[in-house]
Coordinates of all heavy atoms in Angstrom, one line a residue:
Q371 N -58.6 -67.7 9.9 CA -59.2 -68.5 8.8 C -59.2 -67.7 7.5 O -58.9 -68.2 6.5 CB -60.6 -68.8 9.2 CG -61.4 -69.6 8.1 CD -62.8 -69.8 8.5 OE1 -63.1 -70.2 9.6 NE2 -63.7 -69.7 7.6
E372 N -59.5 -66.4 7.6 CA -59.6 -65.5 6.4 C -58.1 -65.4 5.9 O -57.9 -65.4 4.7 CB -60.2 -64.2 6.8 CG -61.7 -64.3 7.2 CD -62.2 -63.0 7.7 OE1 -61.4 -62.1 7.9 OE2 -63.4 -62.9 8.0
A373 N -57.2 -65.2 6.8 CA -55.8 -65.0 6.3 C -55.3 -66.3 5.7 O -54.6 -66.3 4.6 CB -54.9 -64.6 7.5
C374 N -55.6 -67.4 6.3 CA -55.1 -68.7 5.7 C -55.8 -69.0 4.4 O -55.3 -69.6 3.5 CB -55.4 -69.9 6.7 SG -54.3 -69.9 8.1
G375 N -57.1 -68.5 4.3 CA -57.8 -68.6 3.0 C -57.0 -67.8 1.9 O -56.9 -68.3 0.8
A376 N -56.5 -66.7 2.3 CA -55.7 -65.9 1.3 C -54.4 -66.6 0.9 O -54.0 -66.6 -0.2 CB -55.3 -64.5 1.9
V377 N -53.8 -67.3 1.9 CA -52.6 -68.1 1.6 C -52.9 -69.2 0.6 O -52.2 -69.5 -0.3 CB -52.0 -68.6 2.9 CG1 -50.7 -69.5 2.6 CG2 -51.6 -67.5 3.8
M378 N -54.0 -69.9 0.9 CA -54.5 -71.0 0.0 C -54.7 -70.4 -1.4 O -54.3 -71.1 -2.5 CB -55.7 -71.7 0.5 CG -55.5 -72.4 1.8 SD -57.1 -73.2 2.3 CE -56.7 -73.6 4.0
Y379 N -55.3 -69.3 -1.5 CA -55.6 -68.7 -2.8 C -54.3 -68.4 -3.5 O -54.1 -68.6 -4.7 CB -56.4 -67.4 -2.6 CG -56.6 -66.6 -3.9 CD1 -57.6 -66.9 -4.8 CD2 -55.8 -65.5 -4.2 CE1 -57.8 -66.2 -6.0 CE2 -56.0 -64.7 -5.3 CZ -57.0 -65.1 -6.2 OH -57.2 -64.4 -7.4
H380 N -53.3 -67.8 -2.8 CA -52.0 -67.5 -3.4 C -51.3 -68.7 -3.9 O -50.8 -68.7 -5.0 CB -51.1 -66.8 -2.3 CG -49.7 -66.7 -2.7 ND1 -49.2 -65.8 -3.6 CD2 -48.6 -67.5 -2.4 CE1 -47.9 -65.9 -3.8 NE2 -47.5 -67.0 -3.0
L381 N -51.3 -69.8 -3.1 CA -50.7 -71.1 -3.5 C -51.4 -71.6 -4.8 O -50.7 -72.1 -5.7 CB -50.7 -72.1 -2.4 CG -49.8 -71.8 -1.2 CD1 -50.0 -72.8 -0.1 CD2 -48.3 -71.8 -1.7
Q382 N -52.7 -71.5 -4.8 CA -53.4 -72.1 -6.0 C -53.1 -71.3 -7.2 O -53.0 -71.8 -8.3 CB -54.9 -72.0 -5.7 CG -55.8 -72.8 -6.6 CD -55.7 -74.3 -6.5 OE1 -54.7 -74.9 -7.1 NE2 -56.6 -74.9 -5.7
Q383 N -53.0 -70.0 -7.1 CA -52.7 -69.1 -8.2 C -51.3 -69.1 -8.7 O -51.0 -69.1 -9.8 CB -53.2 -67.7 -7.9 CG -54.7 -67.6 -7.6 CD -55.6 -67.9 -8.8 OE1 -55.3 -67.5 -9.9 NE2 -56.6 -68.8 -8.6
R384 N -50.4 -69.1 -7.7 CA -49.0 -68.8 -8.0 C -48.0 -69.9 -7.6 O -46.8 -69.9 -8.0 CB -48.5 -67.5 -7.4 CG -49.4 -66.3 -7.7 CD -48.8 -65.0 -7.2 NE -49.7 -63.9 -7.3 CZ -49.4 -62.7 -6.9 NH1 -48.2 -62.4 -6.3 NH2 -50.3 -61.7 -7.0
G385 N -48.5 -70.9 -6.8 CA -47.6 -71.9 -6.3 C -47.1 -72.8 -7.3 O -45.9 -73.2 -7.3
W386 N -47.9 -73.2 -8.3 CA -47.5 -74.2 -9.3 C -46.2 -73.8 -10.1 O -45.4 -74.6 -10.4 CB -48.6 -74.5 -10.3 CG -49.8 -75.1 -9.7 CD1 -50.9 -74.6 -9.2 CD2 -50.0 -76.6 -9.5 NE1 -51.8 -75.5 -8.7 CE2 -51.2 -76.8 -8.9 CE3 -49.2 -77.7 -9.8 CZ2 -51.7 -78.0 -8.6 CZ3 -49.7 -78.9 -9.5 CH2 -51.0 -79.1 -8.9
E387 N -46.1 -72.5 -10.4 CA -45.0 -72.0 -11.2 C -43.8 -71.5 -10.2 O -42.8 -71.0 -10.7 CB -45.4 -70.9 -12.1 CG -45.9 -69.6 -11.5 CD -47.4 -69.6 -11.3 OE1 -48.0 -70.7 -11.3 OE2 -47.9 -68.5 -11.2
N388 N -44.0 -71.6 -8.9 CA -43.0 -71.1 -8.0 C -42.6 -72.1 -7.0 O -42.5 -71.8 -5.8 CB -43.5 -69.8 -7.3 CG -43.7 -68.6 -8.2 OD1 -42.7 -68.1 -8.8 ND2 -44.9 -68.2 -8.4
I389 N -42.5 -73.4 -7.5 CA -42.1 -74.5 -6.6 C -40.8 -74.2 -5.8 O -40.7 -74.6 -4.6 CB -42.0 -75.8 -7.4 CG1 -43.4 -76.2 -7.9 CG2 -41.5 -76.9 -6.5 CD1 -44.4 -76.5 -6.9
E390 N -39.9 -73.6 -6.5 CA -38.5 -73.5 -5.9 C -38.4 -72.2 -5.0 O -37.4 -72.0 -4.4 CB -37.5 -73.5 -6.9 CG -37.4 -74.8 -7.7 CD -36.2 -74.8 -8.7 OE1 -35.4 -73.8 -8.7 OE2 -36.1 -75.7 -9.5
D391 N -39.4 -71.4 -5.0 CA -39.4 -70.1 -4.2 C -39.5 -70.5 -2.7 O -40.5 -71.1 -2.3 CB -40.6 -69.3 -4.6 CG -40.5 -67.9 -4.1 OD1 -39.7 -67.7 -3.1 OD2 -41.1 -67.0 -4.6
P392 N -38.6 -70.0 -1.9 CA -38.7 -70.3 -0.5 C -40.0 -69.7 0.1 O -40.5 -70.2 1.2 CB -37.5 -69.5 0.1 CG -36.5 -69.5 -1.0 CD -37.3 -69.3 -2.3
F393 N -40.5 -68.7 -0.5 CA -41.8 -68.2 0.0 C -42.9 -69.2 -0.1 O -43.8 -69.2 0.7 CB -42.1 -66.9 -0.7 CG -43.4 -66.2 -0.2 CD1 -43.4 -65.6 1.1 CD2 -44.6 -66.2 -0.9 CE1 -44.6 -65.0 1.6 CE2 -45.7 -65.6 -0.5 CZ -45.7 -65.0 0.8
T394 N -42.8 -70.0 -1.1 CA -43.8 -71.0 -1.3 C -43.8 -72.0 -0.2 O -44.8 -72.5 0.4 CB -43.7 -71.8 -2.6 OG1 -43.8 -70.8 -3.7 CG2 -44.7 -72.8 -2.8
L395 N -42.5 -72.4 0.2 CA -42.4 -73.3 1.4 C -43.0 -72.6 2.6 O -43.6 -73.3 3.4 CB -40.9 -73.5 1.6 CG -40.6 -74.2 3.0 CD1 -41.1 -75.6 3.0 CD2 -39.1 -74.2 3.2
A396 N -42.7 -71.3 2.9 CA -43.2 -70.7 4.0 C -44.7 -70.7 4.0 O -45.4 -71.0 5.1 CB -42.7 -69.2 4.1

Side-chain angles (χ1 to χ4, degrees):
Q371 175 184 320
E372 294 169 354
C374 288
V377 177
M378 293 182 197
Y379 175 80
H380 168 78
L381 289 174
Q382 192 72 276
Q383 296 297 313
R384 305 185 190 181
W386 293 93
E387 64 268 20
N388 292 295
I389 294 293
E390 297 185 8
D391 190 343
F393 183 70
T394 302
L395 168 67

